[in-house]
Amino acid sequence: MNRMSIAMVGTRGVPARYGGFETAVEEVGRRLADRGHRVVVYCRTPPGGDAGRPEEHLGMELVHLPAARRRSLETLSHTALSVRHLVTHRTDAAIVFNAANAPLLPALRAARIPVATHVDGLEWKRAKWGGAGRRYYRVAEALAVRWSDVLIADAEGIAEYYREAFAAPTTLLTYGAPLIAPGSHRLAELGLEPGGYHLVVARFEPENHVDVVVEGYTASEATTPLVVVGSAPYADEYTRRVHALADSRVRFLGGLWDQELLDQLYANCCTYLHGHSVGGTNPSLLRAIGAGAAVTAFDVDFNREVVRDAGRYFRTPRDVARELAAVEADAEGTRRAGRRARILAARYDWDDVADGYEELARRLVAGEVPARRPTGRRRPSAADLPPAPRPVPAAVPDNVVPLPSAAPTTWDAHPAAQQ
């Protein structure tokens, strides 16, 4: 294949220290660079980070540009600067991550740069966005459908949503699941033993259902402690509620940036409880099954697509309590589920994912894309139905005080799994 020049736009950039998009850019970009392609990654400049910015990472060329310091404007402002730079420093094709960036696609089309948009999950369903934010994401999805040469979905459930809501085809490109065997020697630093704890790894946001897991665990008769990894810079009230639901068996570790230690937590837990519900294929879930963790996941299509018959599933605190009891009553069955999960993880191979992106870029460069795109007119879909009722969360007691924050700012970095 002839050497191509490919831009990756719309993420925080690399090295990957934050979320799934950044991990995908690093894992795919490094492989494309190894194959001889020119890969240009647009990176956000953190406050005070002007000095010592690398120009290259794992064979990828880096372009550093700033962004607005507000959550609602951070992504779009940085992508606007990136697109302005890109149209004067052309590449053969561009991959734009996040449907929120769709209003900027006409500039790339005007510059005759073929573009694929990775639409991510159902962002408009996230509780952190108010009414205006949700309406914006709904409009941005429609614009991405109308103005992208190709749409990328990372889960079959996302692909189905775009078929149903917009009659729009997508290219399915998942994330990879690293197969890891990190050992257990560092668990002692946390006073833990292999198989001696249940695990949650998540950003503290309502759609990740950390509160449901903690409430269900507290109501259970589980004898194995629950370890909770994660935090969120904008979720003080939610964090207080999660802590208020816990009892003495629950240990909160906050954000954890040590990837080796985090991998050992995945690989040695009794079971990994995964509450994410709106984001498509999730890197934390993939890392867990790649480590051979037995999984109890929130019951949505995205999670069932990954864990299949190796998982247990929940929606309510009562479900969590029931599944924990079953896990602790059947130690051999739980270990067997972990082995099955690791087998399933082999389906998510970064080399295969890179093959998909390379072929997609080739199609873009060759003009092998539909001459006419869907209109972007939305139709009713299953995603528009109201969510299943959730139990009313317990009130936060008056004696619970705000927690001291050890969380990073939005510009600091979580490992990709903590999202």
Side-chain angles (χ1 to χ4, degrees), residues 305-343:
E305 182 180 333
V306 173
V307 186
R308 300 191 180 187
D309 60 335
R312 298 177 178 273
Y313 299 93
F314 71 91
R315 274 194 167 263
T316 68
R318 180 175 294 180
D319 296 339
V320 173
R322 180 192 65 238
E323 298 303 334
L324 285 171
V327 163
E328 293 194 357
D330 184 9
E332 179 52 37
T334 300
R335 287 190 289 270
R336 190 163 55 246
R339 292 192 293 270
R340 170 64 175 155
R342 188 172 170 85
I343 292 171

Side-chain angles (χ1 to χ4, degrees), residues 84-107:
R84 185 176 71 175
H85 183 277
L86 180 56
V87 298
T88 57
H89 300 75
R90 291 178 51 88
T91 58
D92 297 326
I95 311 294
V96 173
F97 292 82
N98 198 333
N101 293 312
L104 301 166
L105 296 177

Side-chain angles (χ1 to χ4, degrees), residues 206-280:
E207 61 272 8
N208 291 345
H209 298 100
V210 182
D211 56 338
V212 174
V213 172
V214 172
E215 183 176 355
Y217 175 85
T218 303
S220 76
E221 297 182 358
T223 58
T224 303
L226 176 67
V227 173
V228 181
V229 176
S231 59
Y234 297 110
D236 288 347
E237 182 179 350
Y238 183 78
T239 300
R240 290 184 65 215
R241 184 165 78 242
V242 170
H243 280 252
L245 290 167
D247 62 18
S248 61
R249 295 172 294 166
V250 181
R251 292 185 55 186
F252 294 96
L253 300 186
L256 185 60
W257 296 271
D258 185 326
Q259 190 66 65
E260 180 185 52
L261 182 55
L262 185 60
D263 285 345
Q264 292 195 12
L265 286 172
Y266 281 122
N268 294 284
C269 65
C270 176
T271 187
Y272 168 68
L273 294 126
H274 182 79
H276 300 61
S277 63
V278 302

Side-chain angles (χ1 to χ4, degrees), residues 30-326:
R30 67 192 295 181
R31 286 168 170 80
L32 295 182
D34 287 344
R35 298 175 189 184
H37 302 296
R38 175 178 176 242
V39 179
V40 181
V41 178
Y42 285 85
C43 307
R44 295 183 203 173
T45 305
D50 295 340
R53 292 174 296 173
E55 297 181 356
E56 182 270 345
H57 177 66
L58 298 176
M60 297 171 279
E61 299 177 23
L62 309 186
V63 177
H64 298 270
L65 295 168
R69 305 301 194 244
R70 292 181 58 186
R71 178 174 65 177
S72 59
L73 299 175
E74 184 179 329
T75 295
L76 194 62
S77 64
H78 176 262
T79 303
L81 294 177
S82 302
V83 168
R84 185 176 71 175
H85 183 277
L86 180 56
V87 298
T88 57
H89 300 75
R90 291 178 51 88
T91 58
D92 297 326
I95 311 294
V96 173
F97 292 82
N98 198 333
N101 293 312
L104 301 166
L105 296 177
L108 296 176
R109 296 183 67 88
R112 298 187 179 277
I113 300 174
V115 59
T117 302
H118 190 311
V119 292
D120 199 15
L122 306 180
E123 287 293 311
W124 51 272
K125 300 189 80 169
R126 292 191 182 275
K128 66 181 178 182
W129 302 119
R134 293 179 188 181
R135 287 191 295 273
Y136 176 81
Y137 266 104
R138 298 270 283 185
V139 171
E141 284 182 347
L143 297 180
V145 168
R146 184 172 182 177
W147 290 335
S148 304
D149 293 301
V150 176
L151 296 177
I152 301 170
D154 66 25
E156 181 56 44
I158 297 298
E160 174 59 29
Y161 166 70
Y162 277 86
R163 285 194 296 267
E164 187 177 357
F166 299 105
T170 58
T171 296
L172 182 63
L173 296 171
T174 65
Y175 297 114
L179 298 177
I180 56 177
S184 60
H185 60 280
R186 297 194 58 193
L187 295 182
E189 298 174 20
L190 301 174
L192 299 173
E193 296 180 355
Y197 56 95
H198 303 289
L199 180 67
V200 175
V201 180
R203 190 178 301 155
F204 280 24
E205 293 178 348
E207 61 272 8
N208 291 345
H209 298 100
V210 182
D211 56 338
V212 174
V213 172
V214 172
E215 183 176 355
Y217 175 85
T218 303
S220 76
E221 297 182 358
T223 58
T224 303
L226 176 67
V227 173
V228 181
V229 176
S231 59
Y234 297 110
D236 288 347
E237 182 179 350
Y238 183 78
T239 300
R240 290 184 65 215
R241 184 165 78 242
V242 170
H243 280 252
L245 290 167
D247 62 18
S248 61
R249 295 172 294 166
V250 181
R251 292 185 55 186
F252 294 96
L253 300 186
L256 185 60
W257 296 271
D258 185 326
Q259 190 66 65
E260 180 185 52
L261 182 55
L262 185 60
D263 285 345
Q264 292 195 12
L265 286 172
Y266 281 122
N268 294 284
C269 65
C270 176
T271 187
Y272 168 68
L273 294 126
H274 182 79
H276 300 61
S277 63
V278 302
T281 302
N282 183 269
S284 181
L285 182 56
L286 292 179
R287 202 159 194 97
I289 65 171
V295 174
T296 301
F298 193 78
D299 194 358
V300 290
D301 290 345
F302 311 130
N303 296 335
R304 282 188 176 269
E305 182 180 333
V306 173
V307 186
R308 300 191 180 187
D309 60 335
R312 298 177 178 273
Y313 299 93
F314 71 91
R315 274 194 167 263
T316 68
R318 180 175 294 180
D319 296 339
V320 173
R322 180 192 65 238
E323 298 303 334
L324 285 171

